[in-house]
Amino acid sequence: MPDANQAPAGFLSAQIRRGRYLFMEAQRSSGAGLVCAGWEECERDYVIEREDFRFHAVELLTGGAWEVRTGGGWKPAAVGTVLSCGP
């Protein structure tokens, strides 16, 4: 089991200015479970662009200006927007 303060390899972006996290055990025998909870302050040029990510993620935008790429192109995302992504 990983240390409760250690992210699984490749989990965090290098574009995080600062953050506070709690990591739980990433290897589960069955079913779904919480792997990470936390807060991040991102760099101004922060971009999430992954070919694959083995976890489902739910994020709440609490500040800044965001755009989200969907099947229909780029859309603005305001503070209070909840985003979800996954494998």
Side-chain angles (χ1 to χ4, degrees), residues 2-57:
D3 181 302
N5 292 318
Q6 180 150 355
F11 191 86
L12 298 177
S13 168
Q15 295 173 303
I16 303 300
R17 186 176 297 159
R18 62 189 172 126
R20 296 186 68 172
Y21 309 95
L22 176 61
F23 292 96
M24 282 58 88
E25 183 177 354
Q27 304 298 323
R28 299 185 62 87
S29 58
S30 65
L34 184 64
V35 174
C36 173
W39 167 88
E40 297 175 330
E41 182 180 317
C42 304
E43 296 290 346
R44 293 180 63 86
D45 61 348
Y46 181 72
V47 174
I48 298 174
E49 194 163 354
R50 298 179 186 243
E51 291 298 318
D52 64 347
F53 190 59
R54 69 180 213 189
F55 304 102
H56 289 274

Side-chain angles (χ1 to χ4, degrees), residues 52-82:
D52 64 347
F53 190 59
R54 69 180 213 189
F55 304 102
H56 289 274
V58 177
E59 300 195 18
L60 169 63
L61 306 180
T62 62
W66 297 84
E67 290 184 322
V68 177
R69 184 172 53 200
T70 66
W74 289 95
K75 309 258 185 207
V79 170
T81 299
V82 175

